[in-house]
Amino acid sequence: MKFTDYRYERPDFEALSQEIKNLIETIQNSESLEQQLEKITDINKIQDHISTMQSLSYIRHSQDIRDGFYDGENDYWDEFDPLYTELFHDFAKAVAGSKFRDGLAGIFGKQYFALLDGQVLGFSPEIVEDLQEDNRLSSEYAKLLASAKFEFNGEALTLSGLGKYMEDKDREVRQAATELRWSFFQEHEETLDRIFDQLVKVRDKMAKKLGFDNYVQLGYINMNRTDYGPEEVANFRKQVLEEIVPVCNELYEWQRERLGYDKLRYFDLDVEYLDGNASPKGSPEWILENGLKMYEEMSPETKEFFEFMVERDLLDLVNRPGKEGGGYCSYIEDYQSPFIFSNFNGTSGDIDVLTHEAGHAFQGYLSRHIEIPELRETTYDSAEIHSMSMEFFAWPWMENFFKEDTDKYKFSHLSGSLKFIPYGVMVDEFQHLVYENPQLTPQERKAKWRELEGKYVPHKNYEGNDLLERGGFWFTQSHIFEDPFYYIDYTLAGICALQFWKRMREDREEAWNDYVNLCKIGGIRSFLGLVSYGNLESPFEDGCVKSVISEISEWLRGHKIPTAL
Ligand code: ZN
């Protein structure tokens, strides 16, 4: 069976909602734990089926946003997803309030009920219309970005396609490509401001309807955070500011020296070396072939997993017109299949897809035996541990992809992982500011962003670019529009992945075993529960960031690549 054989059919909302309501009623009136269990299992199966249809629609729509059928299905899901949420909210409420709650908790565990309690708090039928509005606006943003078309160097390019020229070793070429990219955002500034302003307002409205002061608390609940809050996150950001920002400033200074410029400008940041960044030495087919070889050699588990992905065509890797930008990994429940989506563009990012998204997919594959949907999937903070750690576990095979550029790749990958963290926590702080102050105007929001850049990424020099100087960089950050409060998850997971990087240098086998065990238990535990299950340190603990960073900066110093000229 191949991905194209996976059958999509729009679910019959009326019929399903009747069936679910009947099951919920039985749960509520049930006189035995056994009967409740049986009905919960029935509902889990329905939930998996609905998710399957939604995933298939989402994937196929992103594969070609011009496809009329899936465009219509995408609109259907924007409208109906909140209605399904309502059904499952009633289910969560019934189970959370079950008279057999203790008995059920003995079977499903603490995390299951923590998630259900969050679902109950984070929804009410009163916000259905607002959720639909939120979906519609997020789709409008995605469509606007996917509609971008550029003529450059005689090629017709999308935003992703242009990326390759933005790291061209010819400074004039990359300046022109980067300016072209930002001219698209400046041209659509009013629309982007309007979309985001409406998103902030509608999210704030939902939070208030549910009885919260603002969207921050609701955002945390929506992100399924069951064991930490804004205070812990603020303490983590503080550690990043103190420990990582200074190391990054040094890295940018090395980069400037290496490139031999007076100052690093905003279009230079993606270029590490004058003779070009590390890039894969072959076609997309060749990359995939090498990927297969890598996973075959890595472990029996990865071999089985990747062969499954290739045999069933569960990878859509190559960039083409009409395809949505970015990359993601999805999971198709009824077929127990992960799916990987990306836009290869000839840069080292292509290999990161094969390791990062494959890390997510590997976890999905190893957790497929878990029957409860809420526990099969991990929360995003934990999910990014699986993906980012896989990027590092794949290091011994990087020579196959990068040949003579391997040292360059490793240096850029590790320093890039570090440089990402201040940016990541800045996105998070920006979102806190935005949702704590929903009355800010679009101009004020941009000014706040620029102010935060001065704090976390002071090396950014936007001289000559009006939009960026006014604080418009985040227009390109889709998470800010589509997935509020997601971003910190990458940085928390990043610190965990860097711990695995450190540990695999001491004892690869032990680190790998912990990693595989972590993948196997999916989301059975909360973020901090999984961190300790993987024998990692909590990023919130004072000193954690420092202990990871010192070894990494030492490695980077020892592997500093000399000036190319
Ligand atoms: Zn990821």
Side-chain angles (χ1 to χ4, degrees):
M1 204 175 198
K2 304 245 182 227
F3 175 70
T4 43
D5 304 323
Y6 291 10
R7 195 155 163 268
Y8 176 77
E9 188 178 27
R10 186 190 284 192
D12 180 343
F13 179 76
E14 289 307 320
L16 282 175
S17 97
Q18 201 44 55
E19 199 180 339
I20 292 172
K21 278 181 186 151
N22 292 343
L23 285 165
I24 292 173
E25 222 179 280
T26 321
I27 289 174
Q28 281 164 333
N29 300 326
S30 167
E31 282 310 322
S32 75
L33 178 81
E34 288 67 34
Q35 196 186 18
Q36 279 205 344
L37 263 180
E38 199 188 301
K39 300 304 164 195
I40 292 172
T41 309
D42 289 346
I43 291 196
N44 285 343
K45 281 188 188 131
I46 298 175
Q47 190 175 349
D48 273 343
H49 182 67
I50 295 169
S51 301
T52 299
M53 293 307 124
Q54 190 167 13
S55 298
L56 286 174
S57 164
Y58 178 82
I59 293 167
R60 288 180 181 153
H61 177 62
S62 62
Q63 287 183 304
D64 187 359
I65 52 153
R66 300 164 309 185
D67 180 312
F69 175 75
Y70 283 107
D71 196 39
E73 292 310 293
N74 190 55
D75 291 344
Y76 166 81
W77 286 103
D78 278 357
E79 188 187 340
F80 275 77
D81 177 62
L83 300 173
Y84 287 110
T85 304
E86 184 174 359
L87 286 177
F88 289 104
H89 171 257
D90 292 343
F91 165 64
K93 228 165 139 179
V95 179
S98 160
K99 55 186 155 191
F100 304 111
R101 180 171 168 136
D102 288 348
L104 291 171
I107 300 165
F108 295 140
K110 214 169 74 184
Q111 172 70 355
Y112 179 68
F113 279 95
L115 291 170
L116 288 193
D117 291 342
Q119 271 187 52
V120 172
L121 286 175
F123 181 85
S124 134
E126 271 179 277
I127 66 163
V128 167
E129 271 176 35
D130 305 319
L131 286 170
Q132 288 168 333
E133 170 82 351
D134 188 324
N135 286 343
R136 198 188 53 71
L137 290 164
S138 298
S139 290
E140 191 185 349
Y141 170 80
K143 266 188 212 167
L144 176 64
L145 265 60
S147 75
K149 281 190 195 78
F150 305 95
E151 275 292 318
F152 194 81
N153 202 23
E155 281 179 73
L157 299 166
T158 60
L159 275 170
S160 309
L162 201 57
K164 178 180 166 174
Y165 292 108
M166 289 169 55
E167 51 177 80
D168 198 281
K169 55 188 170 188
D170 183 332
R171 203 178 194 192
E172 276 172 30
V173 172
R174 66 177 183 264
Q175 179 170 2
T178 310
E179 283 172 355
L180 186 61
R181 177 177 211 282
W182 287 109
S183 71
F184 171 82
F185 287 94
Q186 184 139 7
E187 210 174 290
H188 296 280
E189 182 173 6
E190 226 174 281
T191 310
L192 290 159
D193 274 337
R194 194 254 308 148
I195 294 175
F196 190 63
D197 196 58
Q198 287 178 299
L199 279 169
V200 172
K201 301 269 152 65
V202 78
R203 287 169 185 163
D204 187 59
K205 192 162 111 193
M206 283 191 265
K208 289 185 170 135
K209 280 186 186 171
L210 293 171
F212 300 109
D213 298 338
N214 57 49
Y215 184 71
V216 177
Q217 290 152 296
L218 180 56
Y220 272 62
I221 288 178
N222 287 341
M223 290 305 296
N224 290 316
R225 292 181 187 147
T226 57
D227 53 6
Y228 60 92
E231 261 171 57
E232 283 87 352
V233 172
N235 185 46
F236 174 67
R237 291 198 302 259
K238 185 169 153 269
Q239 289 188 62
V240 170
L241 187 62
E242 285 166 2
E243 303 295 338
I244 304 188
V245 173
V247 179
C248 291
N249 289 341
E250 203 180 341
L251 285 169
Y252 290 113
E253 184 52 22
W254 295 354
Q255 188 177 357
R256 187 195 62 73
E257 270 174 21
R258 204 163 51 230
L259 296 174
Y261 298 147
D262 291 345
K263 42 188 172 184
L264 264 190
R265 299 188 59 195
Y266 69 101
F267 46 80
D268 296 323
L269 295 172
D270 291 338
V271 177
E272 292 277 352
Y273 313 100
L274 271 188
D275 55 350
N277 287 350
S279 61
K281 304 295 172 209
S283 65
E285 295 72 28
W286 177 88
I287 292 175
L288 186 60
E289 228 169 82
N290 271 300
L292 185 60
K293 193 168 159 241
M294 168 173 79
Y295 285 118
E296 279 172 353
E297 290 170 8
M298 194 181 286
S299 74
E301 291 94 341
T302 48
K303 177 180 191 290
E304 185 194 309
F305 148 72
F306 210 72
E307 284 172 355
F308 176 85
M309 298 295 288
V310 172
E311 272 161 24
R312 293 195 173 208
D313 277 340
L314 295 165
L315 306 124
D316 181 354
L317 304 174
V318 183
N319 171 244
R320 59 176 179 268
K323 196 169 160 179
E324 202 175 325
Y328 63 76
C329 170
S330 184
Y331 186 76
I332 310 159
E333 288 80 357
D334 285 356
Y335 297 94
Q336 298 196 330
S337 298
F339 186 91
I340 294 177
F341 177 93
S342 77
N343 283 278
F344 273 13
N345 62 3
T347 68
S348 65
D350 298 354
I351 308 307
D352 298 336
V353 166
L354 215 54
T355 55
H356 180 101
E357 300 306 338
H360 286 304
F362 183 55
Q363 179 266 317
Y365 186 76
L366 288 187
S367 304
R368 67 194 187 285
H369 63 277
I370 299 171
E371 282 172 11
I372 303 141
E374 287 84 355
L375 301 181
R376 187 187 309 127
E377 230 178 273
T378 69
T379 48
Y380 294 118
D381 34 23
S382 315
E384 298 299 340
I385 304 179
H386 307 125
S387 54
M388 293 174 144
S389 304
M390 183 62 102
E391 296 177 25
F392 292 122
F393 280 114
W395 266 27
W397 288 270
M398 287 302 110
E399 204 138 13
N400 298 351
F401 298 100
F402 291 104
K403 308 285 177 201
E404 68 278 9
D405 283 351
T406 305
D407 289 341
K408 271 184 177 177
Y409 170 76
K410 287 185 179 170
F411 183 86
S412 303
H413 181 215
L414 189 62
S415 59
S417 305
L418 210 58
K419 287 195 283 193
F420 172 76
I421 295 175
Y423 173 74
V425 304
M426 174 177 77
V427 169
D428 182 65
E429 192 162 323
F430 177 67
Q431 298 188 90
H432 278 86
L433 273 167
V434 163
Y435 292 108
E436 279 160 17
N437 305 284
Q439 76 290 352
L440 291 181
T441 63
Q443 288 67 29
E444 287 169 329
R445 283 186 199 121
K446 277 177 255 178
K448 287 276 179 213
W449 174 270
R450 193 68 189 112
E451 205 180 301
L452 289 173
E453 286 187 326
K455 180 173 166 188
Y456 288 106
V457 287
H459 64 281
K460 289 229 179 179
N461 173 350
Y462 294 137
E463 219 179 304
N465 191 304
D466 173 51
L467 176 69
L468 297 179
E469 283 197 294
R470 285 186 290 110
F473 184 91
W474 56 275
F475 280 167
T476 188
Q477 194 58 65
S478 65
H479 301 69
I480 293 179
F481 289 80
E482 299 174 326
D483 301 291
F485 288 105
Y486 190 147
Y487 228 63
I488 196 74
D489 298 34
Y490 288 115
T491 63
L492 294 172
I495 292 294
C496 295
L498 291 171
Q499 292 182 57
F500 270 127
W501 175 87
K502 202 173 135 185
R503 289 186 51 202
M504 69 185 78
R505 284 157 46 83
E506 289 149 12
D507 185 341
R508 182 175 167 101
E509 204 183 318
E510 191 189 79
W512 175 253
N513 288 338
D514 278 344
Y515 173 74
V516 171
N517 288 335
L518 196 62
C519 290
K520 280 183 186 161
I521 70 161
I524 286 176
R525 295 194 187 191
S526 64
F527 173 67
L528 290 176
L530 290 174
V531 163
S532 79
Y533 189 78
N535 295 314
L536 300 167
E537 267 180 71
S538 158
F540 301 126
E541 291 298 322
D542 279 324
C544 171
V545 172
K546 191 175 182 173
S547 79
V548 183
I549 295 320
S550 49
E551 190 167 332
I552 289 168
S553 47
E554 207 176 294
W555 188 95
L556 289 169
R557 219 160 263 133
H559 292 76
K560 194 170 156 184
I561 292 177
T563 310
L565 289 179

